[in-house]
Amino acid sequence: MEPKSQDQAPHRDDDPGLQTEPPTIAQSITSFYMYNPYEKRSVEVPLTNCDAFISLLKCVIGTGILAMPLAFRCSGFLVGAVMSVLLMILLTYSIHLLIADMTECCRRRRVPQVSMPEAVRIAYEEGPKWINCFGRAAGFMTTCVLVFGQFLLCTVYLVFVSKNFKEIGDHYIERYNERYYVLAACLLLLPLFMIRRLKYLVPLNLISNFLLYAGFALIMYYLFNGLPNINDREMATPPVEWIEFIAIAAFSLTAVGSMLVVEAHMAHPQSYLGLFGVLNLAVLFILLSNMFFGIIGYWRFGDSVHASITLNIPQDEILSQFIKVFIATGIFLSYPLNGFVVITVMFSDYENSEPRGRYRTLIEYVVRLVFLFLTGAVAIGVPNLAALTELEGAFSLSNLNLLCPALIDMFLNYNVGYGRLMWKLIRDILLMLIGLIFGTVGCTVAIMQLIRDFQLTLNSM
């Protein structure tokens, strides 16, 4: 495979001097007028704005929306609604900041496109001299963070699919251990995960979205049937429980890696941001869907709500079984898109050097295979859907949504200034503090629960 013709690899200018010489401060300030990366960007099979909107919905809407009733149980109606809006504003703002800074990195290096790890490396090179030497290491660490975040997300998908199909299997056939359902899901995913073009995943995303929303529509029968008195539910819970809400809601509202990949493969990436851009429209739709589902789900099931609302509906009714099949299949078809993000990140900086270049296609297939079955192994070892959801949400929110964008922005502005009263620097520091506090607390709580579950799994084997 020719790396520079792939969707994953950006096409760069032919002049090597422009790529190797760091720009001066004056060049950085006027980079917007000197170079427009969108005009130079070339994608082999680009996404239309409609394709991008569909893919964004597919990236974010999935197991997270089904966990929102559990999130509202941890916060109450009022606190949950307010925090959902505030959290979405924070996450969306950070994505806008990240993409704007990545575009600025393109202008300063005069290349059409950079990956998130490349943007981190460039930002370190643009920052204070004493941190310039850490650029490559920081870029590599960002790659690891992106891969690990998507790994956790795909693991959650496998656990969700296996739990829902197990409930149907337990009703009609013998009660098999959940690990067999995880293995079956991995084997069925194998041919789908071998698709190497994002454009060709769009039909899968359409089918997945249709199944998910059909399942969501049908599940309303159980959510609205037998609603208790709303006064029986909490408007606000103790603040100590809000950390769990934030972790679950963060998982439900954002997917940084997927959002960046969609923007990178658009035919008109300039339409991605902006007040009525593709990103904002998709985010608004996702926010309203999540709040509606979380409020109604918590109202209906209260303190008995599970990590996925599909586990609360009856196991022996035909309608509920159709709902579980629709939603679980929709999530199943979401795996290839989110796994595609990992491959994009891992191969974005892969050079076409001999003799490795000629074997790149084979290497990519091997990486896909290993990634698929590693997620399956973790899903078998720690099948706690709630704890995995919280860990992925806390980890991704703290690192990808807050720390990375803040660091990139802080170093890029080091030579050009932070604005009046240093407001950009204050903003970046606040984002980093929020990320560090929430990431430490959220990840610690989730990891402790996963360790206990893994010990129980070992004891039962």
Side-chain angles (χ1 to χ4, degrees), residues 131-170:
I131 67 162
N132 294 165
C133 59
F134 299 109
R136 290 189 178 277
F140 176 75
M141 288 299 297
T142 305
T143 299
C144 294
V145 169
L146 279 166
V147 170
F148 185 66
Q150 291 298 127
F151 181 89
L152 287 175
L153 178 62
C154 291
T155 302
V156 170
Y157 283 1
L158 286 178
V159 173
F160 175 86
V161 170
S162 63
K163 284 185 178 295
N164 281 274
F165 277 113
K166 182 181 186 304
E167 285 208 340
I168 299 174
D170 288 349

Side-chain angles (χ1 to χ4, degrees), residues 310-345:
T310 56
L311 302 177
N312 280 99
I313 62 178
Q315 187 175 354
D316 56 351
E317 295 183 11
I318 295 296
L319 178 60
S320 66
Q321 291 165 1
F322 268 111
I323 292 171
K324 292 178 182 181
V325 169
F326 283 1
I327 295 179
T329 304
I331 298 300
F332 175 85
L333 295 176
S334 301
Y335 188 104
L337 175 61
N338 287 279
F340 181 89
V341 175
V342 175
I343 305 304
T344 299
V345 170

Side-chain angles (χ1 to χ4, degrees), residues 36 38-39 41 49 263 266-274 277-278:
N36 185 353
Y38 292 148
E39 293 179 352
R41 185 177 298 183
N49 288 355
E263 188 270 348
M266 287 181 64
H268 305 287
Q270 60 271 24
S271 302
Y272 194 66
L273 301 182
V278 173

Side-chain angles (χ1 to χ4, degrees), residues 20 75 92 125-126 129 145 178 186 245 273 285 288 298 319-320 354 368 404 412 420 424 430 432 441:
T20 56
S75 64
T92 306
E125 293 172 355
E126 294 283 317
K129 289 185 177 180
V145 169
E178 190 175 315
C186 289
F245 170 89
L273 301 182
F285 187 85
L288 296 176
Y298 172 55
L319 178 60
S320 66
E354 296 294 341
R368 288 174 178 270
C404 277
L412 283 181
R420 182 174 297 179
K424 292 182 180 179
L430 285 176
M432 286 189 287
V441 176

Side-chain angles (χ1 to χ4, degrees), residues 11 16 31 101-102 107 129 183 196 323 325 353:
H11 293 254
S31 57
D101 284 336
M102 289 175 66
R107 292 167 181 150
K129 289 185 177 180
L183 181 60
R196 299 171 50 243
I323 292 171
V325 169
S353 57

